[in-house]
Amino acid sequence: MHRRGALTRIGFLGAFAAPAGLQEIVSRAAGHGDTAPLSRNATDEDFQRLLRLANVPSFSLAEVAGDRISTASVGVRRSGEPQVVTPDTVYAAASLTKAVFAYALIALARDGAFSLDRPVADYLPLPNPEDERAKSITARHLLSHSGGWRNWRFSADQALTADFTPGERWSYSGEGYFFLQRLAEHLTGRAVGDIVRERVFEPLGMTRSSMAPLESLEENQAASHSAQGEPRTRFGEPTIAELRRMVSSANRSLESVTISEVEQALRTVEPKLAVLPVFFTVNAAATMLTTANDFARFLRHIVTARRAGGAAAAIVTEMTTTGVRCNEAIRWGHGAGLETLGDTTWAWQWGDNPGFKNIYFADPGGERALVIFTNGDRGARVYERVVRARTGLDHPAFLFA
């Protein structure tokens, strides 16, 4: 891997300055002695070694402190190739997509398009209309993962059934977020890519982000890697190619493709796959592409919204209002996990797609946030150690689910 300037040279510590005893904290956290403890003065070489030991080619991170964004990146976009990552390298956001989509969806609700508290069945037929419990599921339930639906189905013969009374408890559900995508497209007559671009990406200047796999982002995109550090084939490649052919012939942007068009493309080029959300290449639960720089712009908006007031403050308040309790330290809001750490409540979310492991933490009360993207299956081992080393905080979220 190619050397880059040490993170400490750009003053990354900022609002997250680490305590003197950090080396002991990180040593205990690392546990197995697989790497030397990362101290607050960790250098580029320290992080390069961490990446090598974990078989992860790179990480890219950003810190927000009030209106200020600091960024740093280490490693390469693809194993065995020389192109180094930068804060503008494009990563698959995985489930960090959910926070951005939730913001856009709540904005739609505030504009009167629908009510977060009415059953979603009032607006759109349910995937399984025979399920009585599902008839009371609301958008609030789905945003807080308390609707009762499973995470994903992988076979067409799996019925999507509420496993408990909606609102009763927490159970992570990508299917729930995808149904909200169906709802948003049904109510607006527009594709989710266009909705999110209009509501989030354009206002915040997120010029290297998309809900769809735009060809223009490929030139600077990080490849996904296995646990052995080997490059993976990109998810949904045949469907992506077919969607691009479809929109090219109609002189449209890929961001304008609707769910029905993704379904059509999947049936055409990957007929052996069930036509289910988990296989869709445009999915409000998991398919956003973004960069550390871009996602930091979103986080800056989130953590300064209360100061700004207006609609942004109301949306962030909704996102960070408890919908369901998970355990003594973790609750879930309407678009973000909520973690109690000392006297601070952090909004957070991990991302876990094949070959990409990411996490963000945001403290609206303290106007600070951090995000880190990695492009390897063992990336969670990297981001936990980097977050601890750079901030001195051992988040309960690292122990959750």
Side-chain angles (χ1 to χ4, degrees), residues 25-310:
I25 294 172
V26 178
S27 178
R28 291 196 301 270
H32 303 296
D34 55 352
T35 182
L38 293 172
S39 76
R40 63 181 293 178
N41 296 315
T43 66
D44 181 74
E45 290 181 352
D46 296 322
F47 289 112
Q48 293 280 12
R49 182 170 185 267
L50 176 63
L51 289 170
R52 288 196 303 272
L53 291 172
N55 288 326
V56 176
S58 75
F59 71 79
S60 188
L61 77 166
E63 175 201 7
V64 175
D67 295 318
R68 177 174 173 266
I69 294 173
S70 300
T71 57
S73 302
V74 177
V76 295
R77 298 204 309 253
R78 185 180 181 90
S79 179
E81 297 184 6
Q83 294 86 1
V84 296
V85 295
T86 75
D88 290 321
T89 296
V90 175
Y91 286 80
S95 285
L96 273 60
T97 306
K98 292 180 174 71
V100 173
F101 172 67
Y103 186 98
L105 187 80
I106 293 169
L108 283 175
R110 281 186 49 79
D111 287 351
F114 72 105
S115 169
L116 295 173
D117 298 305
R118 282 182 61 180
V120 291
D122 288 356
Y123 302 103
L124 196 64
L126 296 172
N128 180 5
E130 303 303 316
D131 181 18
E132 289 299 319
R133 279 193 292 211
K135 293 177 181 178
S136 64
I137 294 174
T138 67
R140 283 192 195 279
H141 292 141
L142 298 180
L143 286 169
S144 62
H145 299 286
S146 61
W149 284 339
R150 70 189 68 193
N151 191 15
W152 297 113
R153 292 167 292 161
F154 292 88
S155 170
D157 59 6
Q158 290 179 299
L160 190 58
T161 303
D163 295 329
F164 50 83
T165 301
E168 181 179 79
R169 57 187 174 88
W170 182 90
S171 181
Y172 198 73
S173 178
E175 291 270 5
Y177 268 72
F178 184 80
F179 188 82
L180 290 174
Q181 177 182 344
R182 285 193 184 276
L183 176 65
E185 292 195 3
H186 173 73
L187 293 172
T188 65
R190 303 180 65 203
V192 69
D194 285 336
I195 294 169
V196 174
R197 176 155 299 283
E198 179 183 281
R199 297 276 178 169
V200 181
F201 297 153
E202 288 184 353
L204 299 184
M206 297 171 66
T207 59
R208 295 178 177 87
S209 299
S210 177
M211 298 292 283
L214 297 182
E215 197 167 1
S216 60
L217 298 177
E218 288 184 359
E219 184 179 354
N220 194 28
Q221 191 165 335
S224 64
H225 293 79
S226 70
Q228 291 73 42
E230 298 168 349
R232 288 177 172 274
T233 301
R234 183 169 59 166
F235 166 74
E237 188 72 50
T239 303
I240 292 170
E242 175 65 9
L243 286 170
R244 287 176 177 173
R245 186 198 63 77
M246 290 166 60
V247 299
S248 176
S249 63
N251 197 27
R252 294 164 49 201
S253 165
L254 198 64
E255 290 182 313
S256 70
V257 300
T258 62
I259 290 171
S260 62
E261 289 173 313
V262 176
E263 291 173 338
Q264 177 186 336
L266 188 63
R267 288 190 182 97
T268 299
V269 298
E270 299 192 73
K272 293 183 179 180
L273 290 179
V275 183
L276 292 171
V278 71
F279 301 119
F280 287 11
T281 50
V282 181
N283 187 323
T287 65
M288 181 175 69
L289 297 172
T290 192
T291 70
N293 252 331
D294 266 18
F295 198 79
R297 289 180 170 89
F298 174 69
L299 292 180
R300 179 174 61 186
H301 181 69
I302 293 295
V303 300
T304 60
R306 293 177 184 174
R307 171 169 30 112

Side-chain angles (χ1 to χ4, degrees), residues 313-382:
I315 293 170
V316 171
T317 296
E318 189 70 69
M319 290 178 69
T320 56
T321 297
T322 299
V324 63
R325 177 167 288 281
C326 306
N327 62 31
E328 63 185 79
I330 304 293
R331 295 161 287 133
W332 220 271
H334 304 107
L338 303 173
E339 170 199 85
T340 302
L341 183 58
D343 296 328
T344 302
T345 295
W346 295 85
W348 70 281
Q349 172 77 52
W350 21 219
D352 184 1
N353 277 12
F356 293 98
K357 312 301 174 188
N358 319 311
I359 201 162
Y360 85 81
F361 293 98
D363 170 19
E367 295 196 356
R368 55 182 176 162
L370 179 145
V371 63
I372 179 166
F373 297 98
T374 77
N375 63 332
D377 273 344
R378 291 164 59 87
R381 292 169 168 82
V382 172

